[in-house]
Amino acid sequence: MRWTVAAMMLLIARPGPACECQPADLRRAVSGAMVFVGVVEDVFPATTIEEYGKLIREIGAKRAAGRPALEARRIVLREIWGETLTPRDVARSEAARDLADLDYPFEDVRQTLPMRVRLRVSEALMGREQGSAEVFTAVGEGSCGVAFRVGQTYLVIARRRDESARWTTSVCSGTTISANASAEVITLREWKRTGAVPRSISGRVRDFTTRSLFSNNVRGVVIEARSGERSWRATVKGPDGKFELTDLPPGAFELKASLPGWRVFQVSLPRQVDLTDRYHADVEFMMERLPK
């Protein structure tokens, strides 16, 4: 397949439905994250799908016309991102055997159309110092990207994979215009001042006996988190099996789920959860009825 208008459009994400995710609880959102208030200084290479499409078409017409689609996509990626591509990214691009292998420009940024944003940090809250910061987000509402605009101030909550230097963010992580997050900023300032972020554990209990996502059988399950001589409890109240333990101190906790006539069949995490260096943990208990 040669480089045609149709091939060019394969590089442009189709607009999807509006993002429907809800930002996580603040403690969960900031656990392991870089958090700061910053002013956007630069956005690259585009802020909308339409701008991205125009850029791709221009590069395609100048550099990739008449070339096979896979080679043309490599050219477009190099032309747009240049030195931002790491040697590992370039090697992955060269090793690609079909267009699907190049759906994402960066191996660690799982966004079809990523946008790089540079900000001047005006207030460092967690995980970084003053100065400048660079984050990546997706372009387009359907990808849950943040619509960063130059000159605007944002509360940014970003995270990265251990092996990467790239930080990513989205509306799902809680990044938003700072004026819309005044309460969150006040809370984060207090956590920074005191150095004491309250920990939390949440999750759900599922009924392995019926294999159902919703079951009235799990009502009344007691979740206990024990640390030393202290313990905290939460009771499952609905058929969705959800529970939450809040305002926990830093430390390690032994978890237990109990209900008369039932036993724990499986747990998604080790029974001991360490919340010394992180602020939140999610856990799922699978329980089954004891034979009569």
Side-chain angles (χ1 to χ4, degrees), residues 205 215-222 235-241 258-259:
V205 179
S215 170
N216 282 315
N217 291 332
V218 299
R219 291 180 188 266
V221 172
V222 175
T235 302
V236 174
K237 299 185 182 302
D240 59 3
S258 59
L259 182 69

Side-chain angles (χ1 to χ4, degrees), residues 12 75 128 142 165 183 186-187 207 222:
I12 305 174
I75 291 171
R128 71 159 298 109
I186 290 172
T187 298
D207 180 356
V222 175

Side-chain angles (χ1 to χ4, degrees), residues 132-144:
S132 61
E134 180 178 279
V135 300
F136 287 78
T137 192
V139 172
E141 288 185 349
S143 299
C144 298

Side-chain angles (χ1 to χ4, degrees), residues 266-277:
Q266 186 177 351
V267 187
S268 62
L269 293 175
R271 292 295 182 94
Q272 186 173 68
V273 174
D274 192 346
L275 295 181
T276 303
D277 297 322

